[in-house]
Amino acid sequence: MGANPDDANAAPIIAAYALVSKGKHDEAQKTLSQLKEPENGDALLNFTFACVNLKKGNAGKAAEYCEKVVGLCPNFAWGYRTLGFIQDKSLKNPLLARRAYEHALSVEPAFKEVRGLLI
């Protein structure tokens, strides 16, 4: 997939995800470091920072980024799933995780992965 030449963040975001998929988390973080911290208005950039922070072991920061994402995109079920997963598996807060999972299901009732995580 090519980057949108009109979006200066597109190429680094795509590169960061490619590096994460190869397990090169330090390099992904370095790639994102060329960008300034995401502003509240950029959901994709916030989600990318969440992904890299989680892979680097900074679950608290990853959850903060995910909270921004779902605040910007309240119908993004995968954002709520990711937030719930972070809260459940990394931050060990099942109550907050359950809320996030339930919100994901309210957006996308047939989300099988989330149903499995709730069981």
Side-chain angles (χ1 to χ4, degrees):
M1 180 167 114
N4 176 354
D6 297 329
D7 184 353
N9 291 339
I13 288 171
I14 291 169
Y17 279 115
L19 290 165
V20 165
S21 73
K22 295 175 184 174
K24 298 180 178 183
H25 307 133
D26 290 334
E27 290 179 44
Q29 186 175 39
K30 188 175 184 179
T31 298
L32 290 180
S33 71
Q34 64 185 299
L35 304 174
K36 66 181 195 175
E37 284 283 315
E39 297 178 14
N40 288 338
D42 192 332
L44 179 58
L45 188 55
N46 274 290
F47 199 70
T48 307
F49 271 80
C51 175
V52 172
N53 272 279
L54 184 60
K55 295 294 186 179
K56 292 284 295 167
N58 191 348
K61 192 71 171 168
E64 288 176 26
Y65 285 119
C66 273
E67 287 170 359
K68 289 180 185 179
V69 170
V70 297
L72 291 165
C73 302
N75 291 326
F76 182 36
W78 191 262
Y80 284 104
R81 176 264 178 218
T82 303
L83 179 59
F85 190 85
I86 293 167
Q87 291 166 335
D88 188 17
K89 307 298 183 189
S90 299
L91 299 177
K92 307 297 184 203
N93 191 330
L95 294 175
L96 289 178
R98 182 176 184 86
R99 280 190 219 148
Y101 292 148
E102 288 173 347
H103 199 98
L105 289 174
S106 75
V107 172
E108 193 173 324
F111 202 152
K112 291 181 183 177
E113 182 177 341
V114 173
R115 289 183 177 278
L117 290 166
L118 273 170
I119 293 175

